[in-house]
Amino acid sequence: MSTDSRSTVDGELRVGMVGYAFMGAAHSQAWRTVNRVFDLPTRVRMSLICGRDESKVAAAATRLGWAGHTTDWRDLITRDDIDVVDVCTPGDSHAEIAIAALAAGKHVMCEKPLANTVDEARAMVAAAAKAQAAGVRSMCGFNYRRVPAVTLMRQLVASGRLGVIRHVRAVYLQDWIVDPQFPLVWRLQRDKAGSGALGDIGAHIIDLTQFVTGQRIAGVSALTETFVKERPLVAESSGLAATSGNGSADGRAMGQVTVDDAALFMARLDGGAIATYEASRFATGRKNSLRVEINGSLGSVAFDLERLNELEFHDATVPAAEQGFNRILVTEGDHPYMAAWWPPGHIIGYEHSFTHEMRDFVEALATGTDPTPSFADALQVQLVLAAVERSAEQGTAWTAVEPALAEVAA
Ligand SMILES: NC(=O)c1ccc[n+]([C@@H]2O[C@H](COP(=O)([O-])OP(=O)(O)OC[C@H]3O[C@@H](n4cnc5c(N)ncnc54)[C@H](O)[C@@H]3O)[C@@H](O)[C@H]2O)c1
């Protein structure tokens, strides 16, 4: 494969990143590490980081290892010495930044969920398709695909070891807003986040299970709940005027929570499997609990993010006396991504999923191929999110999910 000349300059891929907080730090860690761990045809240069506050973004550049900083994301897309724009901002700016960057000929890595609405996601897919015709590539950051045990799950399903997939059971549970006094941060505002637990963490298990099974969610029946409907305003992060809500008993200004706190749905996958999903920020005691179990005619797999180096595998084809869930320690050199890390048994963690994400992205750019998940894959997730919300609004009515690829092809 030839190297896309616009993706590299003197063997370097010059990255500009927008956002320097949680995902900004996680992506920086990955950009810093990727060439030191993986043998890639292209070297990454961490050129420019963007945030709106001059002193904070300058400090972040130093702390996270970026050569320069700017307070306007438009700098990233207009500068000749930037090849990649990495979008690590809340969902309300994904579409604007990504579409402008693609139009300017920059490859784009965009955090999940792809957008705040299906319409925005469609516009991003259209921009990506147009850019792709000119060799400009894009990818959405569903990093859990790159946990080696998750990739191994997909390999086991694809190779037929599980037989016909019948059940998918997925939960993603957190508890960080159980306290009603927790403030109204951007993740609790629909105009900034698109949705609540649904789009933030539900999107991950939607993508992960579609990735692992190779099946698309074709229809859903859902309910959502917002347990705490008003929260104290945070002037700095909410951007809301104090008049948008009532005063609390202690005089603090309050604002409306405009997203779901929890979302539950059952689904049919287009390959015949039936599935249940639960995403909540009110699962007391569950900090970041992503668990998936898949049952097939020949066996099952079970994954728990809190034990991310392990995959439980039940092989129903061995004699009954020998059956049971076996714990595979996913640290062998022939497990996905693991040859680049440590000797067998030396485990990895959360941040490695982002290094693997950047590895796959950089390799795709260097070899002139399309990285995955594509914006079209992420639109598919967005269509599920929208169907879940429609179903919940209509009293859990069965709601079909249209295929994104049909739209893209049309
Ligand atoms: N892959 C994952 O596991 C994962 C985890 C958390 C968040 N996310 C996603 O990453 C994105 C960011 O989430 P986060 O947790 O890092 O949020 P965050 O609040 O920690 O950080 C957001 C950053 O964006 C910056 N920002 C906001 N608007 C901006 C603008 N217009 N121009 C420049 N900078 C701007 C903020 O200053 C901040 O640095 C969201 O889409 C979120 O869903 C993904």
Side-chain angles (χ1 to χ4, degrees), residues 22-57:
F22 181 18
M23 278 307 102
H27 284 216
S28 297
Q29 161 86 0
W31 290 122
R32 279 195 309 269
T33 312
V34 70
N35 282 122
R36 292 180 167 83
V37 175
F38 291 98
D39 188 14
L40 290 166
T42 305
R43 292 204 68 76
V44 167
R45 175 185 285 271
M46 295 170 66
S47 296
L48 202 58
I49 185 172
C50 171
R52 292 160 300 177
D53 182 295
E54 168 77 35
S55 63
K56 286 184 185 166
V57 73

Side-chain angles (χ1 to χ4, degrees), residues 18-24 27 50-52 71 73 87-94 97 111-113 141-144 172 186-187 199-200 204 350 354 357:
V18 198
Y20 55 81
F22 181 18
M23 278 307 102
H27 284 216
C50 171
R52 292 160 300 177
T71 54
W73 59 263
V87 184
C88 292
T89 56
D92 61 342
S93 51
H94 287 187
I97 299 173
E111 257 306 336
K112 49 55 56 183
F142 282 108
N143 59 302
Y144 291 127
Y172 199 162
W186 70 261
R187 278 186 161 82
D200 191 17
H204 273 301
Y350 172 70
F354 296 96
E357 182 172 280

